[in-house]
Amino acid sequence: MKIVVNLDVMLAKRKMSLTELADKVGVTMSNLSILKNGKAKAVRFSTLASLCEVLDCQPGDLLAAEPAETQEPK
């Protein structure tokens, strides 16, 4: 199973830039970019809570589980 971060979707819905979100949440642009691009290995609950508060959403609006891609045997 793969966890997908839908931060870009919520930013578009709220008509907010990544820079504006970083300022309001108190997280660096680079860390938010890593999260947005799906490169993050973990996210603190406090950061997730702050993102949800600023974006007026639930954690499930930002995170989704997708089946892992299966590779065909060689």
Side-chain angles (χ1 to χ4, degrees), residues 34-59:
I34 289 168
L35 185 62
K36 182 174 112 33
N37 293 322
K39 304 289 185 195
K41 302 254 187 246
V43 61
R44 293 177 189 256
F45 282 156
S46 58
T47 302
L48 183 59
S50 295
L51 289 169
C52 289
E53 185 176 332
V54 170
L55 293 169
D56 189 29
C57 66
Q58 295 293 312

Side-chain angles (χ1 to χ4, degrees), residues 15-49:
K15 297 180 178 156
M16 187 181 295
S17 70
L18 197 61
T19 305
E20 184 179 353
L21 181 62
D23 289 342
K24 290 183 177 187
V25 173
V27 176
T28 65
M29 278 283 298
S30 60
N31 283 341
L32 277 184
S33 182
I34 289 168
L35 185 62
K36 182 174 112 33
N37 293 322
K39 304 289 185 195
K41 302 254 187 246
V43 61
R44 293 177 189 256
F45 282 156
S46 58
T47 302
L48 183 59

Side-chain angles (χ1 to χ4, degrees), residues 1-10 32-43 48 51-52 57-69:
M1 184 151 301
K2 178 180 174 184
I3 303 297
V4 178
V5 180
N6 296 316
L7 186 56
D8 52 346
V9 173
M10 289 307 298
L32 277 184
S33 182
I34 289 168
L35 185 62
K36 182 174 112 33
N37 293 322
K39 304 289 185 195
K41 302 254 187 246
V43 61
L48 183 59
L51 289 169
C52 289
C57 66
Q58 295 293 312
D61 296 327
L62 294 175
L63 304 174
E66 290 184 353
E69 295 178 21

